[in-house]
Amino acid sequence: NLVFTGAFTPPQSLNMVLRAVLDARAAGAENLHLLLVGDGMSREALQKQVADLRAEDAVTFYGSVPATDVPKFTALADALLISLSDSPDLGLTVPGKLASYMAAAKPVLASMNGAGYAAVKESGGGLVSPACDRRALADNMLALYRMSNDERAALGQKAYAYYAAHYRRAELLKRLEKFTMEGK
């Protein structure tokens, strides 16, 4: 089970993600399933795409939930999906969602460029492909699908360790204080 949480907007490239799911299923991940939790301006177009591709058995739209309920969905995940379109602006920062995904101690499946790509790669806590590279994303989906539960759990622990070292509030405040006091 792949889980995506958040806004359904063009910058998330979810139309490409839907096709990658079908590519991965065709390549052997026949039970791969994508759960989309959230809403947004692209929802109708994505639902139409799923219907046109006859992919209802591969994709479920759950709808919006309060932020406090998101952990219920991440707990169901074998991996958490984050994708961004190929835009230089989107690669400048690490999306907040990536830190939240890493905090969930689940493998991260990322399709993005820039700082987010580098963070997933450095963490060892998931698989990453360049933004909008459908083939590479499908290959990573297939690789995650073929992993054992223990292998996925090990990736999740690496993601959590990276979160704890780089994104926890206490760590961020300590780094901000050092920068302010020492300029480093």
Side-chain angles (χ1 to χ4, degrees):
N1 288 319
L2 296 178
V3 175
F4 172 92
T5 61
F8 304 166
T9 62
Q12 273 62 51
S13 295
L14 291 172
N15 56 338
M16 179 275 304
V17 169
L18 296 178
R19 291 185 179 278
V21 167
L22 295 179
D23 292 345
R25 286 173 63 114
E30 53 276 337
N31 293 318
L32 181 69
H33 191 86
L34 174 63
L35 175 60
L36 297 168
V37 180
D39 207 347
M41 64 187 289
S42 298
R43 182 178 178 141
E44 279 186 42
L46 293 168
Q47 287 177 313
K48 182 178 180 336
Q49 181 182 2
V50 167
D52 291 347
L53 294 170
R54 293 188 165 89
E56 294 89 349
D57 64 326
V59 180
T60 300
F61 290 86
Y62 191 84
S64 292
V65 299
T68 55
D69 287 350
V70 170
K72 294 175 188 174
F73 294 93
T74 59
L76 297 172
D78 292 304
L80 298 168
L81 175 77
I82 184 170
S83 64
L84 290 173
S85 63
D86 187 10
S87 166
D89 295 339
L90 294 175
L92 294 175
T93 62
V94 175
K97 179 191 311 198
L98 181 57
S100 297
Y101 279 6
M102 288 177 160
K106 296 286 183 161
V108 175
L109 182 62
S111 173
M112 58 184 16
N113 295 334
Y117 180 102
V120 175
K121 191 96 166 144
E122 184 179 324
S123 76
L127 301 177
V128 66
S129 59
C132 299
D133 187 337
R134 178 176 141 192
R135 174 76 335 218
L137 179 58
D139 289 346
N140 283 343
M141 288 176 179
L142 185 59
L144 270 171
Y145 182 84
R146 290 180 172 160
M147 286 181 187
S148 69
N149 289 338
D150 288 344
E151 290 170 316
R152 285 192 295 270
L155 287 178
Q157 289 307 307
K158 287 179 182 180
Y160 182 80
Y162 192 86
Y163 160 79
H166 294 89
Y167 300 132
R168 275 195 5 227
R169 181 177 171 84
E171 179 60 30
L172 291 173
L173 290 173
K174 185 168 60 175
R175 289 178 18 209
L176 178 61
E177 179 182 24
K178 183 175 181 171
F179 177 78
T180 303
M181 302 302 281
E182 301 172 21
K184 298 179 186 176

